[in-house]
Amino acid sequence: MHTLAKKLAKEQLHSVQCTAQRIEVEAVEAQEAEQERIDRWFAEGGRPALEAMKRFGKNEKGKPLRWTPVVEQSVLVTADPRFSMVIDTGCAQVSKTTVELLTFIYYVSEGQINCAWYYDTLGNLRKNVPEQFQPMARYWQEAKEASTKKVKAKKKSVRRKTENLERYNIGNATAIFSHANSGSNNDDVATGGGGISFQANLLWMDEFSQYKQGSDFSSRLEFSCIPTRPTRPVGTPGAGAGIEQFISDVDHYFYPHIKCPSCGEQTCLDPKGALLKLHKREGSL
């Protein structure tokens, strides 16, 4: 009996060891397959994002975007993960945030990776997440499900959802929201409380001109699965200490161009919207 017990114990130990080795091998294979998927997706640039946004993207009111050449070209740049930083700036009310939010949703939904979006204040987070992001994310999923089932989608009422404004799950990925300014009178405090407790793969910074000087969120991308650790500052130019500080340091400029219907001459639109002032830009694309 003693010999039999020892034999059974040895067989059980061997079985446990084999199971552990199999689990370890499967984990490594899954990690390698995931890295191959990310590398392939990384190499494709912004084109897949643009195609998906045209199919599934709608604004917060459930209406499709007007895909002008200018919007399409800007998406190809903004959605390309090979660019470490893309600064999206210009006049107010030109759909910058809408396009950026759709790009954000694309990465979370189709890329299935965790991404983060900073607002300038907690008040704007509480206002814009339920009124902008959440409806757009649900419209995206509804359009995607309808295309998969190949049936006509029934119009659904999108209700305001407020139970969790800082985390929103799509599949296995999470959209993370935080705010940059803590509201403290202490000038040394540049980041809201929720901004120091997460890791992400891509990072958006909305209304960057309103952030406190010295705000630095690079540590949030320390373990990003994307080699370039992409950041996307967004905002309307202010007094010169905000998003404008990046403009002089960029490697390339992208300015939308317009053709005069009268004389046919083309000119670039200045990021500050000063269309009636003479301006000179060198090295623009």
Side-chain angles (χ1 to χ4, degrees):
M1 289 293 294
H2 180 67
T3 303
L4 180 61
K6 289 179 63 177
K7 183 178 180 182
L8 289 174
K10 187 175 181 180
E11 290 178 350
Q12 289 175 348
L13 177 61
H14 178 70
S15 176
V16 169
Q17 290 174 338
C18 290
T19 301
Q21 290 175 352
R22 185 173 67 253
I23 292 175
E24 184 177 352
V25 170
E26 291 175 350
V28 172
E29 291 176 347
Q31 185 176 6
E32 291 176 348
E34 176 65 9
Q35 189 60 51
E36 289 179 3
R37 181 187 74 86
I38 292 174
D39 291 343
R40 183 171 59 252
W41 175 59
F42 179 80
E44 290 176 342
R47 179 65 61 180
L50 176 60
E51 294 173 353
M53 289 162 69
K54 285 184 174 181
R55 292 180 63 193
F56 311 133
K58 296 179 181 179
N59 64 18
E60 67 273 18
K61 297 180 180 178
K63 296 181 179 180
L65 270 66
R66 183 168 173 250
W67 290 101
T68 64
V70 168
V71 175
E72 290 186 9
Q73 291 166 19
S74 65
V75 168
L76 289 176
V77 176
T78 302
D80 194 329
R82 294 172 294 187
F83 290 108
S84 176
M85 178 180 287
V86 178
I87 301 101
D88 192 352
T89 184
C91 307
Q93 305 302 320
V94 291
S95 300
K96 295 191 303 296
T97 302
T98 299
V99 172
E100 293 285 354
L101 274 173
L102 285 177
T103 308
F104 179 71
I105 292 169
Y106 163 79
Y107 275 116
V108 178
S109 175
E110 310 311 307
Q112 282 295 285
I113 58 175
N114 297 347
C115 300
W117 184 288
Y118 273 100
Y119 287 98
D120 55 334
T121 65
L122 178 59
N124 279 336
L125 184 155
R126 290 173 173 171
K127 177 179 184 294
N128 292 323
V129 171
E131 293 183 1
Q132 279 189 311
F133 168 78
Q134 289 184 352
M136 291 169 66
R138 290 195 292 275
Y139 282 130
W140 182 290
Q141 294 305 306
E142 290 173 6
K144 185 178 178 180
E145 291 173 3
S147 68
T148 303
K149 296 177 182 178
K150 297 182 179 180
V151 296
K152 186 175 181 180
K154 296 181 180 179
K155 190 171 182 179
K156 300 178 182 179
S157 60
V158 180
R159 295 175 294 177
R160 182 169 174 143
K161 188 176 181 181
T162 59
E163 58 268 23
N164 190 343
L165 300 183
E166 296 185 353
R167 300 292 186 272
Y168 189 98
N169 295 323
I170 303 178
N172 295 321
T174 302
I176 304 166
F177 296 95
S178 188
H179 57 99
N181 296 333
S182 66
S184 170
N185 293 324
N186 183 359
D187 291 336
D188 295 331
V189 180
T191 306
I196 58 175
S197 59
F198 64 83
Q199 287 289 325
N201 297 288
L202 288 91
L203 183 64
W204 275 259
M205 298 176 287
D206 192 34
E207 294 297 344
F208 189 79
S209 291
Q210 304 302 319
Y211 290 18
K212 292 181 179 179
Q213 291 189 6
S215 297
D216 183 11
F217 310 106
S218 57
S219 60
R220 304 282 71 78
L221 299 173
E222 184 177 357
F223 300 103
S224 174
C225 65
I226 301 177
T228 53
R229 299 180 181 179
T231 57
R232 299 293 185 261
V234 185
T236 303
I243 200 166
E244 303 93 323
Q245 65 184 299
F246 291 124
I247 294 178
S248 60
D249 296 329
V250 297
D251 296 316
H252 302 282
Y253 293 100
F254 173 82
Y255 296 131
H257 283 62
I258 187 171
K259 184 177 182 179
C260 176
S262 299
C263 67
E265 183 180 353
Q266 286 196 355
T267 184
C268 63
L269 304 183
D270 189 274
K272 291 190 176 182
L275 302 182
L276 301 180
K277 295 181 181 179
L278 293 175
H279 58 273
K280 181 181 179 182
R281 300 296 186 201
E282 297 180 355
S284 61
L285 296 178

